[in-house]
Amino acid sequence: MKNIRVFNIVANLPEELSGLRTLAFNLWWSWDAEAIELFRRLDREMWRCCYHNPVRLLGQVDQSRLQTLRADSGFLAHLRRVLARMDRYMTEPTWFQKAHDGAAKADMAYFSLEFGIHECLPIYSGGLGVLAGDHLKSASDLGLPLVGFGLLYRNGYFEQQLNADGWQLEAYPDNDFYNMPISPALAANGERLKVTVDLPGRRVVAQVWHAQVGRVSLYLLDTNLQENPPADRNITSTLYGGDKDMRIRQEMLLGVGGFRALRALGFHPRVCHMNEGHAAFLALERVRTMMKEHELNFAEAREAVEAGTVFTTHTPVPAGIDVFHPDLVEHYFGGFRHELGLSRDQFLALGRGNPSDHGEGFNMAILALRTSAKRNGVSKLHGSVSRRMWRSLWPDLTEQEVPISHITNGVHTHSWLSSEMSFLFETYLGNRMKEEPTDASVWEAIREIPDAELWRTHERQRERLIAHARRHLRWELERRGGTAAEIAEAEEVLDPRVLTIGFARRFAGYKRATLLLKDPARLKRLVTNARQPVQFIFCGKAHPEDNTGKETIRQLVHFIRDPELRRHIIFIENYDVNIAHYMVQGSDVWLNNPRRPHEASGTSGMKATINGAINLSTVDGWWAEAASLDNGWSIGSGEEYADLDYQDKVECGDLFDLLEKEVVPLFYDRGPDGLPRHWIQRMKTSIRTIGPFFNSTRMVRDYVEQFYLPCADRFARLTTHKVKAARQLTAWKQHVAAHWGRIHISPAQDTGAAEVVAGQELTINITVALDGLKAGDISAQIVFGPLEAEGSLKRIQTVPMKPAASEPGNAVRFTGKIVCQASGRFGYAVRILPQHPDLNDPLDMRLVHWA
């Protein structure tokens, strides 16, 4: 059909209700319980049918209802109250202003392939996106000058449907952008902002959309435009869909197009944060832009860009990282690399572990690691796993010293806390819980909540979860054409008085959703115990290409169709943020049993904790930091097995033992008043010990103080005065690298014997022949610690050595001392590193000379 005139129809709101539109287009409402209740009051059933989307709701609510509400003094008072709350939120002084005086010009940009802010904006698949959404929300709460960039998917991630056999099918309904809380971003001339990205033989155009997330702006790129050919219109069709060719185009759009949009909007951030390697191409576009604007060569521009770049990896296994064939990279970046002044091999080396291996693919995580100043895993354990994974990039360092740190994930407390629990916390913890969620002393007041009040609140949450589960099951059966008897039975599944265990996560092999099914008879006895019954609610999606994950879902579904089990174990289809709220708020126990060390962090257990659930988990990801003897239960003690089948067997047994001997008896241990007081004490301990640390306020503060502000300061130092410092640092690095191989270190001399008395000092000397370098170009260190059985050092410590005297032939003698405090078998080694006041980290140069 040709010559279609396109126009938009917007809600016709009476003047008295116009503030509803203002609220609807700022996603602040999504974590304010009173704002959510305001929209619910418009039409409760329609609010549910609109999937809690206020923009769609305002467009569909009947005009007669609006006319009624414009004269409803109670509703208008509610509206004024919420608008005043939002106004105070948007204008009151923030932590960033108070703690860092606003850190002028320390602007930050956060890039992610997905953002999970609310179910009404379905451009997320799971934990990575929800984490990104919580990051933006806490950045808003803290008042950070931060903007987010991502892609706006026409179909988003898939909707899950199970067929009669229990096999997962995928549906991709269209997102209606004009009925979502987003609006087109506008250029300075008032027209819709568009950016372009060059692809082989063509140029793809992307429109920029804007979502307001409290104080923070999120910008999203959309290629579904008439000026693009069909193949390129589909770049923003589906999250994690398509083949490698589609993925590289999506990641080009995110990195290259996202940075161009950033600049077109007038932002000049000092710090860019890449949330996973998907966004790594932005570092190259940033380099290209700096080369062009400041007449730099690649090395000089890279030096400056690296100073202001942060990279967070979420992947604990190499298989989870995007790796592109060299020919595919050359196809899309052949012209781009010419602008960078790089040969094919030089460009591909940026993404290769071994730059000399011409057959090695182009790894996006390696590109990110090589173009960032700060790098981190998302839990303490994941930081260690990441250092082990990428140790080969720093071959002359011990694993402990690989420059990848960690910042443990957290959750946005007020987005995940139920309204009932929020009211309870406000009553007993006061407003300080919102203002200072990281202050452990505030959370100590959890002890003061009466047991009965906490328990009744949690029971209401469980009842609501079960009511939702029954309603959802009925919808699923009606969709599949279930019989009247089956639909009626859905109303009777589960029992709101029974111990309810929740399992909700992606169905991937390492997450072991069916671990309990390895002993089906024991599981059946557990759930059908008449005196102390247990019930399970499972939900989660398998990746569309993961047939193993789909088969896991099918096995689970077939197992729970057993007539003895179907009322005790259920699977809820199409897991999303909305279902997640019911699950984390209503479960008594949150089950998480991945194979260690494959869970990078995990955050669902944190969300469940603040709502009163108790974690039952393997010692992996965040739980390795959080677990104590009285705030949950741990499956095993953090063992790692080479034989995975044996590991599953052992940990399945451990899990059943915990359930049968500790978890279930504790839940049903009731006093004369019917309260499980020992269980409630464990609930309180869990909330009190986990709440103040495992929240995204603490997480974002860590990013600010450990990464963003140091990077912003260094970026500014390197780029002022026509990027003078970056030019000088680059020249110095090249000079040092040219002479490094000709440095000679004499064997270390020490004052000790084969045995040293505890408490004695050991003085160590070396002489370094510097070739064409200066003494100030290097630093010398003693590296010492106890010896492993095979002779390597563990728990190493480093002690700087001082220049003691000049020696003939441009040589310098260094001396240092170590104190031998503990007894046992120890060792030391001596090394030199490059040294310069503008270096981010001497270890980043990958130049280490051992004596």
mmCIF file with all atom_site columns, all heavy atoms in Angstrom, residues 353-371:
data_model
loop_
_atom_site.group_PDB
_atom_site.id
_atom_site.type_symbol
_atom_site.label_atom_id
_atom_site.label_alt_id
_atom_site.label_comp_id
_atom_site.label_asym_id
_atom_site.label_entity_id
_atom_site.label_seq_id
_atom_site.pdbx_PDB_ins_code
_atom_site.Cartn_x
_atom_site.Cartn_y
_atom_site.Cartn_z
_atom_site.occupancy
_atom_site.B_iso_or_equiv
_atom_site.pdbx_formal_charge
_atom_site.auth_seq_id
_atom_site.auth_comp_id
_atom_site.auth_asym_id
_atom_site.auth_atom_id
_atom_site.pdbx_PDB_model_num
ATOM 1   N N   . GLY A 1 353 ? 44.203 -12.843 21.494 1.00 0.00 ? 353 GLY A N   1
ATOM 2   C CA  . GLY A 1 353 ? 45.054 -13.166 22.620 1.00 0.00 ? 353 GLY A CA  1
ATOM 3   C C   . GLY A 1 353 ? 46.497 -13.291 22.196 1.00 0.00 ? 353 GLY A C   1
ATOM 4   O O   . GLY A 1 353 ? 47.406 -12.840 22.881 1.00 0.00 ? 353 GLY A O   1
ATOM 5   N N   . ASN A 1 354 ? 46.720 -13.898 21.047 1.00 0.00 ? 354 ASN A N   1
ATOM 6   C CA  . ASN A 1 354 ? 48.055 -14.020 20.463 1.00 0.00 ? 354 ASN A CA  1
ATOM 7   C C   . ASN A 1 354 ? 48.063 -13.253 19.153 1.00 0.00 ? 354 ASN A C   1
ATOM 8   O O   . ASN A 1 354 ? 47.594 -13.754 18.130 1.00 0.00 ? 354 ASN A O   1
ATOM 9   C CB  . ASN A 1 354 ? 48.401 -15.483 20.222 1.00 0.00 ? 354 ASN A CB  1
ATOM 10  C CG  . ASN A 1 354 ? 49.773 -15.651 19.592 1.00 0.00 ? 354 ASN A CG  1
ATOM 11  O OD1 . ASN A 1 354 ? 50.505 -14.680 19.393 1.00 0.00 ? 354 ASN A OD1 1
ATOM 12  N ND2 . ASN A 1 354 ? 50.138 -16.886 19.269 1.00 0.00 ? 354 ASN A ND2 1
ATOM 13  N N   . PRO A 1 355 ? 48.569 -12.026 19.138 1.00 0.00 ? 355 PRO A N   1
ATOM 14  C CA  . PRO A 1 355 ? 48.523 -11.217 17.928 1.00 0.00 ? 355 PRO A CA  1
ATOM 15  C C   . PRO A 1 355 ? 49.219 -11.852 16.732 1.00 0.00 ? 355 PRO A C   1
ATOM 16  O O   . PRO A 1 355 ? 48.926 -11.503 15.594 1.00 0.00 ? 355 PRO A O   1
ATOM 17  C CB  . PRO A 1 355 ? 49.246 -9.924  18.347 1.00 0.00 ? 355 PRO A CB  1
ATOM 18  C CG  . PRO A 1 355 ? 49.082 -9.856  19.827 1.00 0.00 ? 355 PRO A CG  1
ATOM 19  C CD  . PRO A 1 355 ? 49.143 -11.287 20.284 1.00 0.00 ? 355 PRO A CD  1
ATOM 20  N N   . SER A 1 356 ? 50.117 -12.803 16.994 1.00 0.00 ? 356 SER A N   1
ATOM 21  C CA  . SER A 1 356 ? 50.853 -13.441 15.894 1.00 0.00 ? 356 SER A CA  1
ATOM 22  C C   . SER A 1 356 ? 50.092 -14.595 15.269 1.00 0.00 ? 356 SER A C   1
ATOM 23  O O   . SER A 1 356 ? 50.516 -15.120 14.229 1.00 0.00 ? 356 SER A O   1
ATOM 24  C CB  . SER A 1 356 ? 52.214 -13.938 16.406 1.00 0.00 ? 356 SER A CB  1
ATOM 25  O OG  . SER A 1 356 ? 52.978 -12.872 16.928 1.00 0.00 ? 356 SER A OG  1
ATOM 26  N N   . ASP A 1 357 ? 48.998 -15.008 15.894 1.00 0.00 ? 357 ASP A N   1
ATOM 27  C CA  . ASP A 1 357 ? 48.209 -16.130 15.359 1.00 0.00 ? 357 ASP A CA  1
ATOM 28  C C   . ASP A 1 357 ? 47.178 -15.578 14.386 1.00 0.00 ? 357 ASP A C   1
ATOM 29  O O   . ASP A 1 357 ? 46.117 -15.093 14.775 1.00 0.00 ? 357 ASP A O   1
ATOM 30  C CB  . ASP A 1 357 ? 47.523 -16.862 16.516 1.00 0.00 ? 357 ASP A CB  1
ATOM 31  C CG  . ASP A 1 357 ? 46.728 -18.083 16.046 1.00 0.00 ? 357 ASP A CG  1
ATOM 32  O OD1 . ASP A 1 357 ? 46.641 -18.302 14.817 1.00 0.00 ? 357 ASP A OD1 1
ATOM 33  O OD2 . ASP A 1 357 ? 46.189 -18.797 16.901 1.00 0.00 ? 357 ASP A OD2 1
ATOM 34  N N   . HIS A 1 358 ? 47.477 -15.669 13.086 1.00 0.00 ? 358 HIS A N   1
ATOM 35  C CA  . HIS A 1 358 ? 46.617 -15.064 12.080 1.00 0.00 ? 358 HIS A CA  1
ATOM 36  C C   . HIS A 1 358 ? 45.308 -15.816 11.889 1.00 0.00 ? 358 HIS A C   1
ATOM 37  O O   . HIS A 1 358 ? 44.398 -15.308 11.224 1.00 0.00 ? 358 HIS A O   1
ATOM 38  C CB  . HIS A 1 358 ? 47.372 -14.960 10.750 1.00 0.00 ? 358 HIS A CB  1
ATOM 39  C CG  . HIS A 1 358 ? 48.609 -14.110 10.841 1.00 0.00 ? 358 HIS A CG  1
ATOM 40  N ND1 . HIS A 1 358 ? 48.581 -12.810 11.275 1.00 0.00 ? 358 HIS A ND1 1
ATOM 41  C CD2 . HIS A 1 358 ? 49.915 -14.397 10.573 1.00 0.00 ? 358 HIS A CD2 1
ATOM 42  C CE1 . HIS A 1 358 ? 49.820 -12.314 11.269 1.00 0.00 ? 358 HIS A CE1 1
ATOM 43  N NE2 . HIS A 1 358 ? 50.641 -13.261 10.851 1.00 0.00 ? 358 HIS A NE2 1
ATOM 44  N N   . GLY A 1 359 ? 45.185 -16.983 12.457 1.00 0.00 ? 359 GLY A N   1
ATOM 45  C CA  . GLY A 1 359 ? 43.938 -17.728 12.355 1.00 0.00 ? 359 GLY A CA  1
ATOM 46  C C   . GLY A 1 359 ? 43.001 -17.504 13.523 1.00 0.00 ? 359 GLY A C   1
ATOM 47  O O   . GLY A 1 359 ? 41.845 -17.933 13.495 1.00 0.00 ? 359 GLY A O   1
ATOM 48  N N   . GLU A 1 360 ? 43.493 -16.813 14.565 1.00 0.00 ? 360 GLU A N   1
ATOM 49  C CA  . GLU A 1 360 ? 42.682 -16.591 15.764 1.00 0.00 ? 360 GLU A CA  1
ATOM 50  C C   . GLU A 1 360 ? 41.573 -15.583 15.467 1.00 0.00 ? 360 GLU A C   1
ATOM 51  O O   . GLU A 1 360 ? 41.767 -14.598 14.740 1.00 0.00 ? 360 GLU A O   1
ATOM 52  C CB  . GLU A 1 360 ? 43.556 -16.083 16.909 1.00 0.00 ? 360 GLU A CB  1
ATOM 53  C CG  . GLU A 1 360 ? 42.810 -15.929 18.228 1.00 0.00 ? 360 GLU A CG  1
ATOM 54  C CD  . GLU A 1 360 ? 43.708 -15.463 19.367 1.00 0.00 ? 360 GLU A CD  1
ATOM 55  O OE1 . GLU A 1 360 ? 44.947 -15.618 19.254 1.00 0.00 ? 360 GLU A OE1 1
ATOM 56  O OE2 . GLU A 1 360 ? 43.171 -14.923 20.357 1.00 0.00 ? 360 GLU A OE2 1
ATOM 57  N N   . GLY A 1 361 ? 40.393 -15.830 16.033 1.00 0.00 ? 361 GLY A N   1
ATOM 58  C CA  . GLY A 1 361 ? 39.277 -14.921 15.850 1.00 0.00 ? 361 GLY A CA  1
ATOM 59  C C   . GLY A 1 361 ? 39.457 -13.619 16.602 1.00 0.00 ? 361 GLY A C   1
ATOM 60  O O   . GLY A 1 361 ? 40.396 -13.442 17.390 1.00 0.00 ? 361 GLY A O   1
ATOM 61  N N   . PHE A 1 362 ? 38.525 -12.709 16.361 1.00 0.00 ? 362 PHE A N   1
ATOM 62  C CA  . PHE A 1 362 ? 38.546 -11.382 16.972 1.00 0.00 ? 362 PHE A CA  1
ATOM 63  C C   . PHE A 1 362 ? 37.609 -11.403 18.165 1.00 0.00 ? 362 PHE A C   1
ATOM 64  O O   . PHE A 1 362 ? 36.391 -11.502 18.022 1.00 0.00 ? 362 PHE A O   1
ATOM 65  C CB  . PHE A 1 362 ? 38.105 -10.344 15.939 1.00 0.00 ? 362 PHE A CB  1
ATOM 66  C CG  . PHE A 1 362 ? 38.301 -8.916  16.376 1.00 0.00 ? 362 PHE A CG  1
ATOM 67  C CD1 . PHE A 1 362 ? 39.480 -8.245  16.097 1.00 0.00 ? 362 PHE A CD1 1
ATOM 68  C CD2 . PHE A 1 362 ? 37.290 -8.230  17.042 1.00 0.00 ? 362 PHE A CD2 1
ATOM 69  C CE1 . PHE A 1 362 ? 39.655 -6.912  16.479 1.00 0.00 ? 362 PHE A CE1 1
ATOM 70  C CE2 . PHE A 1 362 ? 37.450 -6.908  17.428 1.00 0.00 ? 362 PHE A CE2 1
ATOM 71  C CZ  . PHE A 1 362 ? 38.645 -6.246  17.146 1.00 0.00 ? 362 PHE A CZ  1
ATOM 72  N N   . ASN A 1 363 ? 38.183 -11.308 19.366 1.00 0.00 ? 363 ASN A N   1
ATOM 73  C CA  . ASN A 1 363 ? 37.457 -11.489 20.616 1.00 0.00 ? 363 ASN A CA  1
ATOM 74  C C   . ASN A 1 363 ? 37.078 -10.125 21.198 1.00 0.00 ? 363 ASN A C   1
ATOM 75  O O   . ASN A 1 363 ? 37.934 -9.286  21.470 1.00 0.00 ? 363 ASN A O   1
ATOM 76  C CB  . ASN A 1 363 ? 38.354 -12.261 21.599 1.00 0.00 ? 363 ASN A CB  1
ATOM 77  C CG  . ASN A 1 363 ? 37.662 -12.634 22.871 1.00 0.00 ? 363 ASN A CG  1
ATOM 78  O OD1 . ASN A 1 363 ? 37.180 -11.782 23.595 1.00 0.00 ? 363 ASN A OD1 1
ATOM 79  N ND2 . ASN A 1 363 ? 37.641 -13.921 23.180 1.00 0.00 ? 363 ASN A ND2 1
ATOM 80  N N   . MET A 1 364 ? 35.775 -9.922  21.394 1.00 0.00 ? 364 MET A N   1
ATOM 81  C CA  . MET A 1 364 ? 35.307 -8.607  21.851 1.00 0.00 ? 364 MET A CA  1
ATOM 82  C C   . MET A 1 364 ? 35.747 -8.301  23.279 1.00 0.00 ? 364 MET A C   1
ATOM 83  O O   . MET A 1 364 ? 35.976 -7.134  23.633 1.00 0.00 ? 364 MET A O   1
ATOM 84  C CB  . MET A 1 364 ? 33.792 -8.529  21.724 1.00 0.00 ? 364 MET A CB  1
ATOM 85  C CG  . MET A 1 364 ? 33.291 -8.570  20.291 1.00 0.00 ? 364 MET A CG  1
ATOM 86  S SD  . MET A 1 364 ? 33.865 -7.162  19.309 1.00 0.00 ? 364 MET A SD  1
ATOM 87  C CE  . MET A 1 364 ? 32.852 -5.842  19.986 1.00 0.00 ? 364 MET A CE  1
ATOM 88  N N   . ALA A 1 365 ? 35.869 -9.323  24.119 1.00 0.00 ? 365 ALA A N   1
ATOM 89  C CA  . ALA A 1 365 ? 36.339 -9.077  25.489 1.00 0.00 ? 365 ALA A CA  1
ATOM 90  C C   . ALA A 1 365 ? 37.800 -8.659  25.477 1.00 0.00 ? 365 ALA A C   1
ATOM 91  O O   . ALA A 1 365 ? 38.214 -7.774  26.241 1.00 0.00 ? 365 ALA A O   1
ATOM 92  C CB  . ALA A 1 365 ? 36.143 -10.323 26.341 1.00 0.00 ? 365 ALA A CB  1
ATOM 93  N N   . ILE A 1 366 ? 38.602 -9.278  24.607 1.00 0.00 ? 366 ILE A N   1
ATOM 94  C CA  . ILE A 1 366 ? 40.016 -8.891  24.527 1.00 0.00 ? 366 ILE A CA  1
ATOM 95  C C   . ILE A 1 366 ? 40.146 -7.466  24.012 1.00 0.00 ? 366 ILE A C   1
ATOM 96  O O   . ILE A 1 366 ? 40.967 -6.684  24.512 1.00 0.00 ? 366 ILE A O   1
ATOM 97  C CB  . ILE A 1 366 ? 40.779 -9.891  23.635 1.00 0.00 ? 366 ILE A CB  1
ATOM 98  C CG1 . ILE A 1 366 ? 40.862 -11.261 24.334 1.00 0.00 ? 366 ILE A CG1 1
ATOM 99  C CG2 . ILE A 1 366 ? 42.182 -9.381  23.303 1.00 0.00 ? 366 ILE A CG2 1
ATOM 100 C CD1 . ILE A 1 366 ? 41.522 -12.343 23.519 1.00 0.00 ? 366 ILE A CD1 1
ATOM 101 N N   . LEU A 1 367 ? 39.335 -7.108  23.005 1.00 0.00 ? 367 LEU A N   1
ATOM 102 C CA  . LEU A 1 367 ? 39.350 -5.722  22.537 1.00 0.00 ? 367 LEU A CA  1
ATOM 103 C C   . LEU A 1 367 ? 39.031 -4.771  23.696 1.00 0.00 ? 367 LEU A C   1
ATOM 104 O O   . LEU A 1 367 ? 39.697 -3.744  23.867 1.00 0.00 ? 367 LEU A O   1
ATOM 105 C CB  . LEU A 1 367 ? 38.332 -5.541  21.414 1.00 0.00 ? 367 LEU A CB  1
ATOM 106 C CG  . LEU A 1 367 ? 38.116 -4.097  20.929 1.00 0.00 ? 367 LEU A CG  1
ATOM 107 C CD1 . LEU A 1 367 ? 39.405 -3.523  20.337 1.00 0.00 ? 367 LEU A CD1 1
ATOM 108 C CD2 . LEU A 1 367 ? 36.980 -4.040  19.918 1.00 0.00 ? 367 LEU A CD2 1
ATOM 109 N N   . ALA A 1 368 ? 38.037 -5.107  24.491 1.00 0.00 ? 368 ALA A N   1
ATOM 110 C CA  . ALA A 1 368 ? 37.663 -4.253  25.626 1.00 0.00 ? 368 ALA A CA  1
ATOM 111 C C   . ALA A 1 368 ? 38.778 -4.193  26.668 1.00 0.00 ? 368 ALA A C   1
ATOM 112 O O   . ALA A 1 368 ? 39.081 -3.119  27.214 1.00 0.00 ? 368 ALA A O   1
ATOM 113 C CB  . ALA A 1 368 ? 36.368 -4.754  26.249 1.00 0.00 ? 368 ALA A CB  1
ATOM 114 N N   . LEU A 1 369 ? 39.393 -5.327  26.950 1.00 0.00 ? 369 LEU A N   1
ATOM 115 C CA  . LEU A 1 369 ? 40.479 -5.358  27.922 1.00 0.00 ? 369 LEU A CA  1
ATOM 116 C C   . LEU A 1 369 ? 41.664 -4.517  27.453 1.00 0.00 ? 369 LEU A C   1
ATOM 117 O O   . LEU A 1 369 ? 42.349 -3.879  28.261 1.00 0.00 ? 369 LEU A O   1
ATOM 118 C CB  . LEU A 1 369 ? 40.938 -6.801  28.154 1.00 0.00 ? 369 LEU A CB  1
ATOM 119 C CG  . LEU A 1 369 ? 39.974 -7.708  28.928 1.00 0.00 ? 369 LEU A CG  1
ATOM 120 C CD1 . LEU A 1 369 ? 40.387 -9.169  28.794 1.00 0.00 ? 369 LEU A CD1 1
ATOM 121 C CD2 . LEU A 1 369 ? 39.915 -7.313  30.397 1.00 0.00 ? 369 LEU A CD2 1
ATOM 122 N N   . ARG A 1 370 ? 41.899 -4.513  26.139 1.00 0.00 ? 370 ARG A N   1
ATOM 123 C CA  . ARG A 1 370 ? 43.062 -3.803  25.597 1.00 0.00 ? 370 ARG A CA  1
ATOM 124 C C   . ARG A 1 370 ? 42.816 -2.308  25.408 1.00 0.00 ? 370 ARG A C   1
ATOM 125 O O   . ARG A 1 370 ? 43.755 -1.579  25.091 1.00 0.00 ? 370 ARG A O   1
ATOM 126 C CB  . ARG A 1 370 ? 43.468 -4.431  24.254 1.00 0.00 ? 370 ARG A CB  1
ATOM 127 C CG  . ARG A 1 370 ? 44.157 -5.778  24.403 1.00 0.00 ? 370 ARG A CG  1
ATOM 128 C CD  . ARG A 1 370 ? 45.209 -5.957  23.306 1.00 0.00 ? 370 ARG A CD  1
ATOM 129 N NE  . ARG A 1 370 ? 46.089 -7.088  23.611 1.00 0.00 ? 370 ARG A NE  1
ATOM 130 C CZ  . ARG A 1 370 ? 46.041 -8.250  23.003 1.00 0.00 ? 370 ARG A CZ  1
ATOM 131 N NH1 . ARG A 1 370 ? 45.153 -8.456  22.051 1.00 0.00 ? 370 ARG A NH1 1
ATOM 132 N NH2 . ARG A 1 370 ? 46.878 -9.218  23.327 1.00 0.00 ? 370 ARG A NH2 1
ATOM 133 N N   . THR A 1 371 ? 41.596 -1.855  25.549 1.00 0.00 ? 371 THR A N   1
ATOM 134 C CA  . THR A 1 371 ? 41.303 -0.439  25.315 1.00 0.00 ? 371 THR A CA  1
ATOM 135 C C   . THR A 1 371 ? 40.695 0.229   26.538 1.00 0.00 ? 371 THR A C   1
ATOM 136 O O   . THR A 1 371 ? 40.067 1.276   26.423 1.00 0.00 ? 371 THR A O   1
ATOM 137 C CB  . THR A 1 371 ? 40.346 -0.281  24.108 1.00 0.00 ? 371 THR A CB  1
ATOM 138 O OG1 . THR A 1 371 ? 39.170 -1.082  24.325 1.00 0.00 ? 371 THR A OG1 1
ATOM 139 C CG2 . THR A 1 371 ? 41.019 -0.708  22.815 1.00 0.00 ? 371 THR A CG2 1
#
